Amino acid sequence: RKDQGTHDSGWLDTCMITRLARPCELLYLQVRLIESGFTLSDLQSTPCLVAEQDSVLIGMLVLRYLVSPVKIWQGEPLLVFPEITTMTTRRRAMYKLWKAAEQWIVSSLNETGVRRYLAVTYSDDIKQLFYKGGLIRLHAQDAQPFQHLTIDDNATFFFRQP
C-alpha cells in the first residue's frame, strides 16, 4: 500500500500525540494558519494544542478565551494540515485535538475557572465529531450571545459545560 502523503500512512496512528504547542513552534503555526486562510492576533497569548505524528506536527487547535458578553472558551480553528490526505488520520487528529482541548479546559492548567466552551464549524466531518462527543448544537435563538463573533449564517454552533 502506497503512502498517501507526508507522515500519512493510514495505519492506526499509535504514535500520534496531542500536547500544548512549544514556544519555538508558534511562528510556524501562525504561518500555517495564515496559509489556511485564518487570522489570529497572537498565538503566544492563547493556548494552542497540536497533533504530532512521528515527531512531525500534523494539526492544531487554538483556544480563545472570550469575556463578552459571557465568559467562555472558543475552540477555533481546528486545522489538520492539508498534506495529511488519509481520512482516517485526519479524523483521528481532529478527535484527539478536540479531546485534548476538553481535558485542558477542565484541568488546573486553565486558571480562569471557566469550564464551558463553544465550538463553531462549517465542516460536516467536524459536526459529526461534535455530535459523537456529546456537544449540544445551539440553534439560532440560543446562539444570540455569540453573534458578536461575526460568523456567517453557514456556521453551526456547539456548546458544552462539563
Side-chain angles (χ1 to χ4, degrees):
R1 167 170 158 166
K2 252 174 145 177
D3 189 2
Q4 305 209 349
T6 307
H7 300 279
D8 192 17
S9 65
W11 295 95
L12 287 178
D13 303 310
T14 54
C15 43
M16 184 187 298
I17 62 167
T18 54
R19 59 175 173 77
L20 285 171
R22 297 179 184 119
C24 62
E25 298 167 331
L26 296 179
L27 181 59
Y28 169 76
L29 294 170
Q30 184 76 46
V31 169
R32 294 304 302 249
L33 280 175
I34 292 168
E35 290 174 349
S36 298
F38 295 99
T39 57
L40 287 176
S41 56
D42 182 16
L43 285 182
Q44 294 191 19
S45 64
T46 188
C48 178
L49 296 150
V50 294
E52 179 182 298
Q53 182 174 324
D54 299 327
S55 301
V56 174
L57 299 181
I58 64 167
M60 63 189 292
L61 173 60
V62 179
L63 296 175
R64 292 187 277 177
Y65 183 59
L66 307 175
V67 294
S68 174
V70 294
K71 292 181 181 179
I72 194 165
W73 285 98
Q74 179 186 359
E76 183 194 18
L78 173 56
L79 176 64
V80 178
F81 302 144
E83 60 269 20
I84 306 303
T85 57
T86 304
M87 194 54 70
T88 303
T89 304
R90 294 183 66 77
R91 287 184 178 147
R92 185 166 286 115
M94 285 188 281
Y95 176 79
K96 286 187 171 205
L97 283 165
W98 192 253
K99 289 314 239 178
E102 285 185 325
Q103 291 172 356
W104 186 89
I105 288 169
V106 299
S107 77
S108 60
L109 294 174
N110 173 7
E111 297 174 351
T112 64
V114 175
R115 303 292 187 244
R116 59 184 166 211
Y117 55 91
L118 171 73
V120 181
T121 187
Y122 302 91
S123 164
D124 289 335
D125 283 339
I126 296 176
K127 286 177 191 175
Q128 291 305 313
L129 170 71
F130 292 157
Y131 284 127
K132 289 178 183 177
L135 273 75
I136 300 167
R137 181 178 178 176
L138 292 179
H139 297 284
Q141 67 273 16
D142 300 324
Q144 286 300 94
F146 310 110
Q147 294 306 316
H148 68 286
L149 298 176
T150 61
I151 297 167
D152 68 39
D153 294 338
N154 296 323
T156 305
F157 289 81
F158 290 86
F159 173 79
R160 180 183 281 178
Q161 182 165 347

